[in-house]
Amino acid sequence: MSAAPENDIEEGLVFQPRFSADGLITCVTIDDASGEALMVAHMNAEALDKTLASGVMHYWSRSRGELWRKGDTSGQVQTLVELRVDCDQDALLARVRVGGDGGACHTGRRSCFYRRIERGAEGPRLALIEER
Amino acid sequence: MSAAPENDIEEGLVFQPRFSADGLITCVTIDDASGEALMVAHMNAEALDKTLASGVMHYWSRSRGELWRKGDTSGQVQTLVELRVDCDQDALLARVRVGGDGGACHTGRRSCFYRRIERGAEGPRLALIEER
């Protein structure tokens, strides 16, 4: 594998984020303290640049159509601890320290993933997960 | 919050996965044993149905344009332990037990996230992460 060219997408060390047709890349954000998956969001090139330059997580809000510095209104600022990219460079994995009340979800919960899908006789249903 | 209707996207208990315009939903897959993020992939409705019905992870391969039962060729079958959905029901979080050699990435590594983005004077660069 050491023979791979520097710009090889999978084995190289050149960062070549592959944005989708709408200019976005998926980012999974993990609480560095607990290891818990907090949220899945998207970044455009500007959000990624600002995240790397500032060390604070920025996203692109698809619903609002605007750049979004996480925590600007909620206080739940996310300080970047480590940012990884996946094999085909179309997804990011961020480990963060969360400010404010330590949460990430606008519903007031720590994680956006607060419901489990259960298989029932009449099809899938959701069940609320108690926060620890 | 108990007053929310059953079909409320954020507070209800009706599973209403929101597929994107191309019919896909993002799935983050976590190793249940280690808590490590293994991969980010996509599901169409059929992949999601088959995953729920079989308890084995199925994805939609965007590059190959086909339904994909993870592990069919690699042996790295992923048995579903728990599937969660996020607040706006456009992302899934799967905890899985990994068969075969315990890996998930086609490059031979356990996780697809084997490179860290580092901020250098000449812009971001990647660094390989040693597997534990």
Side-chain angles (χ1 to χ4, degrees):
Chain A
M1 294 195 295
S2 58
E6 273 287 282
N7 65 351
D8 186 86
I9 293 285
E10 296 188 346
E11 299 297 337
L13 299 180
V14 177
F15 182 41
Q16 303 166 82
R18 290 170 64 189
F19 297 96
S20 59
D22 53 3
L24 300 177
I25 190 166
T26 300
C27 179
V28 181
T29 302
I30 306 275
D31 183 338
D32 187 56
S34 67
E36 184 178 22
L38 295 173
M39 55 189 281
V40 170
H42 299 83
M43 291 181 176
N44 63 358
E46 185 184 3
L48 178 55
D49 286 348
K50 285 187 188 289
T51 296
L52 287 168
S54 67
V56 171
M57 300 300 289
H58 291 67
Y59 302 100
W60 176 258
S61 167
R62 295 186 298 180
S63 57
R64 298 194 304 273
E66 63 179 26
L67 188 78
W68 166 43
R69 180 180 176 277
K70 174 75 177 168
D72 263 351
T73 55
S74 66
Q76 297 169 336
V77 173
Q78 296 177 341
T79 304
L80 182 62
V81 175
E82 184 189 73
L83 190 62
R84 297 188 182 191
V85 67
D86 74 346
C87 45
D88 55 1
Q89 301 208 28
D90 68 355
L92 303 171
L93 180 70
R95 293 188 74 97
V96 303
R97 278 193 301 271
V98 183
D101 60 5
C105 184
H106 73 284
T107 67
R109 297 168 179 97
R110 206 171 51 228
S111 164
C112 295
F113 293 97
Y114 51 84
R115 286 173 298 184
R116 180 174 55 237
I117 303 166
E118 299 192 331
R119 286 168 274 180
E122 295 166 26
R125 287 278 297 175
L126 301 180
L128 277 169
I129 297 165
E130 295 284 330
E131 296 213 319
R132 287 158 303 187
Chain B
M1 295 193 294
S2 58
E6 273 287 282
N7 65 352
D8 186 88
I9 293 286
E10 296 189 346
E11 299 297 336
L13 299 180
V14 177
F15 183 41
Q16 303 166 82
R18 290 170 65 189
F19 297 96
S20 59
D22 53 3
L24 301 177
I25 191 166
T26 301
C27 180
V28 181
T29 303
I30 307 276
D31 183 337
D32 187 55
S34 67
E36 185 179 21
L38 295 173
M39 54 189 282
V40 170
H42 297 85
M43 291 182 176
N44 63 359
E46 185 184 3
L48 177 55
D49 286 348
K50 285 187 187 291
T51 296
L52 287 169
S54 67
V56 171
M57 299 300 290
H58 291 67
Y59 303 100
W60 176 259
S61 168
R62 295 188 298 181
S63 57
R64 298 194 303 275
E66 63 181 25
L67 188 77
W68 164 45
R69 180 180 175 278
K70 175 73 179 170
D72 263 351
T73 55
S74 66
Q76 297 169 337
V77 173
Q78 297 177 341
T79 303
L80 182 61
V81 174
E82 183 189 74
L83 190 62
R84 297 188 182 191
V85 66
D86 73 346
C87 46
D88 56 1
Q89 301 207 29
D90 68 355
L92 302 170
L93 180 70
R95 294 188 73 97
V96 303
R97 280 193 300 271
V98 184
D101 60 6
C105 185
H106 73 284
T107 66
R109 297 167 180 97
R110 205 171 53 228
S111 165
C112 295
F113 293 97
Y114 52 84
R115 287 172 297 184
R116 181 174 54 235
I117 303 166
E118 299 191 330
R119 287 169 272 180
E122 294 166 25
R125 287 277 297 174
L126 300 180
L128 278 169
I129 296 166
E130 295 284 331
E131 296 212 321
R132 287 157 302 186

